[in-house]
Each structure stands twice: as structure tokens, then as C-alpha cells.
Amino acid sequence: MEHKNVIFTKHALERMKLRRITPDMVVKAIKSPEQQEKEDDGDTKFIKVINKRNLHVVANYQTDEKKWLVVSTWVRGEDDPAWWVRLLRWFFRR
């Protein structure tokens, strides 16, 4: 899936990696959300169920670039992995 109209903050990329969220999942949520909410600060929250996971994406539309800037992502109902799980993942990726 192409990501040319979506850019990611460093924070969003870190959270995506931590929470096993792919760029394709984020793009799907933005392009065809099941729910979309405008937030008071101008950001938009996109919600979409993907693979039985309730994905939330917060993004801000950059009118000058005509792209969505993804600020953060998470899966509702899932806690972030414990530090030791993250350490094991890191160790076995090497």
C-alpha cells in the first residue's frame, strides 16, 4: 500500500513499533475509517477495526503539503508490552 499522502512523527513511529501497528494499517484507518472524530486541537482521530484490533490513529492534515501527519497510534483494549517483553523482542531481532 502506498503511503505518499501520510507522514509519521518520530513519536508515532515509535508507538507503532511498540504496539505492532504497520504503516499499512494506519493508512487503511485514515482512508476508510469506521469512525472519525474532530478533536478540539484540530487533530482528527480515525478508528478502524483491523484483524479484530480496535485501531486508533490521531493525525493532523497539513494543508500546505496535502498530507496527513500521524501524531500517535494505539489499539484500544491492549496495554503496551512490559519492558521485559520489549527487551526479548529486541534481543531476538538481532
Side-chain angles (χ1 to χ4, degrees), residues 8-94:
F8 301 89
T9 63
K10 182 179 177 185
H11 173 82
L13 290 170
E14 290 169 352
R15 295 300 178 251
M16 289 165 60
K17 184 175 180 180
L18 176 67
R19 298 168 177 159
R20 299 177 343 264
I21 298 169
T22 67
D24 285 348
M25 292 168 68
V26 172
V27 170
K28 284 179 187 176
I30 292 172
K31 288 190 175 186
S32 61
E34 293 164 13
Q35 197 174 346
Q36 183 174 334
E37 303 169 5
K38 191 77 165 171
E39 298 188 339
D40 293 338
D41 61 2
D43 289 345
T44 303
K45 183 192 295 183
F46 300 92
I47 303 169
K48 183 168 183 76
V49 176
I50 299 175
N51 299 327
K52 298 181 182 178
R53 299 175 77 203
N54 193 1
L55 179 64
H56 289 237
V57 175
V58 176
N60 185 288
Y61 191 70
Q62 307 292 298
T63 53
D64 54 331
E65 296 183 46
K66 295 185 170 109
K67 296 181 180 187
W68 284 100
L69 175 64
V70 177
V71 178
S72 193
T73 63
W74 66 92
V75 177
R76 183 80 171 204
E78 291 183 17
D79 293 330
D80 288 343
W83 68 268
W84 58 272
V85 173
R86 294 193 305 264
L87 181 63
L88 285 173
R89 285 184 187 163
W90 175 83
F91 181 75
F92 286 108
R93 282 189 192 141
R94 299 181 88 209

